[in-house]
Amino acid sequence: SINTNDNDGDDAQPKNSALLDDIRNAVDPKRIVAAGFSYGAATTARAIAMEPQRFCAAMFLDGWFHIDVQKSAGVQFSFPKEAFEQPMPQIPSIFIDSQQFEGYPSLFRSTQQLAKKLNAGDETVHVLPNT
């Protein structure tokens, strides 16, 4: 973890408080875009499902939206459940997959399902060739 407190005990203010204040003042809370790669894309989907009012758009790169341990444990499901089991907001979203991810049918179907939920029925997933 990052320690932002002075160690001399004289000042309880974080060392970076001016920087944090600058960031808070610069960010328009109505224009936050959520983005993630792989498991981070699943985390992004969950964040949008849990706090939709915080985001105006989203980008998902090679999203890991399907868990498949069918052979070893007999279990597979779309993931995260919050994104697939409850309504999602209609926000501009782009889904970009590598060609390799397109080769996993269950994973690609889950990605298309999530794209359809966020993009008013448009299940387009942009696949980058030769990746």
Side-chain angles (χ1 to χ4, degrees), residues 40-95:
T43 303
T44 296
R46 185 174 189 277
I48 292 168
M50 303 301 291
E51 299 281 341
Q53 72 282 359
R54 294 185 181 267
F55 306 101
C56 70
M59 182 180 351
F60 304 91
L61 306 169
D62 277 346
W64 205 262
F65 302 121
H66 191 81
I67 305 299
D68 186 352
V69 287
Q70 186 67 34
K71 290 180 183 175
S72 63
V75 176
Q76 64 174 320
F77 54 92
S78 294
F79 175 80
K81 69 178 183 171
E82 295 86 356
F84 286 91
E85 294 178 0
Q86 65 191 45
M88 292 288 278
Q90 301 292 298
I91 63 172
S93 302
I94 187 166
F95 290 78

Side-chain angles (χ1 to χ4, degrees), residues 110-125:
S110 290
T111 304
Q112 289 175 310
Q113 288 172 341
L114 188 56
K116 188 175 183 178
K117 285 183 79 171
L118 285 167
N119 289 323
D122 181 0
E123 62 182 29
T124 301
V125 176

